[in-house]
Amino acid sequence: MPASVVIVAMAVDAVNDHSALAELAEVTGASVAYLQRGEPSLVDELSRLADDGVAHVRLVRLPAAGAAPARSWLRRVAAHWVREHPGVRVEVVASAVTGREAPLRSSAWEDVPGFRHHLLVCRGPRCSASGAATTAEALSTALHERELGDEDVLVTQTGCLFPCNHAPVVAVHPDDTWYGPVTGADVGELVDQHLIDGRPVDRLRRPRIISERTTS
């Protein structure tokens, strides 16, 4: 039986292109899986194929235009699945997954990071369409230039954060401060004034309305 091909979308916002990916899969005879957000996840798609009797799977990495994990994460996740399904042969393009790759769990990932700020960048459909990828890239560059690492500011790209009319939306916790729209040109001010000096940027700020149910 020939190998089944799975196109693996790597980027956090790849699910926004689900229709285009589905068309590509239909034309090529492949299926689609997502490494981050999106359904089916890579492990769920591998399990579906295994349940259908597939014994050989080839994974094709879909390059990401924006931020995405290193390609080694594709191998790690695939290896995690292979260790539990040794009867199925899995390749990443032409490189076999042996199950001896680094595991998903490690003592280095045991504790909640001691970051000072947790910064959420919305990558929902509307924010992504309004330039959230540029905002996220500018944040990464600004933090690197100021030598701020994860122990200072932990940046997480998320699904929809809801106040879509103000896209791209950024939230800073534990300060409970919401911003939008935040463009790449706004990032330097946000980093310097809020994340370093501790003063929210009022011109970008959006109030969070607290409902009676929240306070009761």
Side-chain angles (χ1 to χ4, degrees):
M1 179 183 294
S4 292
V5 176
V6 179
I7 300 170
V8 183
M10 302 285 287
V12 68
D13 59 347
V15 67
N16 297 333
D17 297 322
H18 179 76
S19 295
L21 292 175
E23 291 178 6
L24 175 63
E26 182 176 357
V27 169
T28 60
S31 60
V32 175
Y34 296 89
L35 191 66
Q36 301 190 70
R37 293 175 52 236
E39 298 293 339
S41 67
L42 174 56
V43 295
D44 285 346
E45 180 61 11
L46 288 172
S47 294
R48 183 190 71 81
L49 292 171
D51 290 343
D52 288 346
V54 173
H56 183 193
V57 181
R58 300 190 72 201
L59 306 179
V60 179
R61 181 178 67 93
L62 185 69
R71 69 176 61 192
S72 62
W73 275 105
L74 174 56
R75 294 181 58 81
R76 286 190 183 190
V77 173
H80 171 75
W81 185 87
V82 165
R83 283 190 283 268
E84 298 177 352
H85 302 80
V88 180
R89 178 186 172 195
V90 177
E91 297 177 273
V92 178
V93 187
S95 177
V97 177
T98 66
R100 296 190 294 273
E101 290 78 5
L104 298 184
R105 291 179 173 82
S106 163
S107 59
W109 304 320
E110 179 66 24
D111 299 323
V112 176
F115 50 81
R116 184 173 66 251
H117 289 106
H118 193 180
L119 192 150
L120 308 180
V121 182
C122 180
R123 295 302 302 273
R126 293 181 179 88
C127 282
S128 293
S130 298
T134 299
T135 299
E137 184 66 24
L139 277 166
S140 177
T141 299
L143 293 172
H144 177 74
E145 290 175 348
R146 292 155 178 79
E147 299 182 348
L148 297 175
D150 289 347
E151 69 279 5
D152 301 300
V153 182
L154 181 63
V155 178
T156 302
Q157 299 186 46
T158 75
C160 181
L161 291 177
F162 281 99
C164 308
N165 289 345
H166 306 294
V169 175
V170 171
V172 180
H173 295 298
D175 301 353
D176 193 16
T177 303
W178 294 67
Y179 292 118
V182 179
T183 68
D186 298 317
V187 163
E189 181 181 4
L190 190 155
V191 171
D192 291 334
Q193 183 172 315
H194 187 161
L195 301 181
I196 295 178
D197 291 343
R199 296 179 294 112
V201 182
D202 289 337
R203 71 176 185 86
L204 300 174
R205 196 169 182 177
R206 298 293 168 184
R208 184 170 70 87
I209 307 302
I210 301 177
S211 68
E212 293 182 1
R213 286 184 298 175
T214 304
T215 58
S216 62

